[in-house]
Amino acid sequence: MSVVNFWLDLSLLIVFVLMSWEAASLQFLLPAPTLSAGWTLFGLTYDQWRDIQFGTLCLFAFGVVLHVMLHWNWVCSVVATQVLHTKARPDEGKQTIIGVATLIVLLHILGIGVIVSLFFVHAPPQTP
């Protein structure tokens, strides 16, 4: 299991560095999106780089979720003993239910945030 954790952690580090490079390149090398028409970096436009950055973010998020899943027994043990101050850890069935419920809650929070944002996004007025 240590070898799996090592390769996952190394992969997360590589994806994080890649995502950081993408963000820094978009922030400091290319002009603002409204001014970037015609600009390219390695032959890709600002919009293409933004799409790649989002894909990298999704890959990183997947890796983090996988990482937490591999350590879920430890997470539940720490929460039970250090946060809730109980002596017994929840059994594996309860841990699985708690993990799935936690993931569902987090996804709902993300979804609610996107839905709320829909009400606050405004298109510019159309010119006649």
Side-chain angles (χ1 to χ4, degrees):
M1 221 32 205
S2 295
V3 174
V4 171
N5 285 327
F6 170 78
W7 287 111
L8 177 60
D9 290 349
L10 181 63
S11 299
L12 280 170
L13 175 64
I14 291 168
V15 172
F16 178 74
V17 169
L18 177 63
M19 189 172 52
S20 299
W21 175 82
E22 291 166 353
S25 295
L26 286 175
Q27 184 69 33
F28 300 118
L29 300 180
L30 292 173
T34 54
L35 304 173
S36 67
W39 285 68
T40 62
L41 176 64
F42 298 116
L44 299 175
T45 65
Y46 186 97
D47 291 338
Q48 291 169 323
W49 276 110
R50 188 197 61 221
D51 293 343
I52 290 170
Q53 184 184 30
F54 182 74
T56 306
L57 174 67
C58 291
L59 182 63
F60 184 73
F62 174 76
V64 168
V65 168
L66 184 60
H67 180 82
V68 171
M69 285 173 53
L70 290 174
H71 293 83
W72 191 245
N73 186 23
W74 175 81
V75 170
C76 288
S77 297
V78 169
V79 169
T81 58
Q82 302 298 319
V83 177
L84 301 176
H85 302 292
T86 61
K87 303 240 187 246
R89 304 188 300 205
D91 61 40
E92 293 212 12
K94 286 183 183 178
Q95 287 180 13
T96 301
I97 292 169
I98 292 168
V100 171
T102 301
L103 187 58
I104 289 170
V105 167
L106 291 174
L107 289 174
H108 274 83
I109 290 170
L110 180 63
I112 289 167
V114 171
I115 291 169
V116 168
S117 297
L118 284 172
F119 293 105
F120 292 95
V121 67
H122 300 285
Q126 293 186 358
T127 56

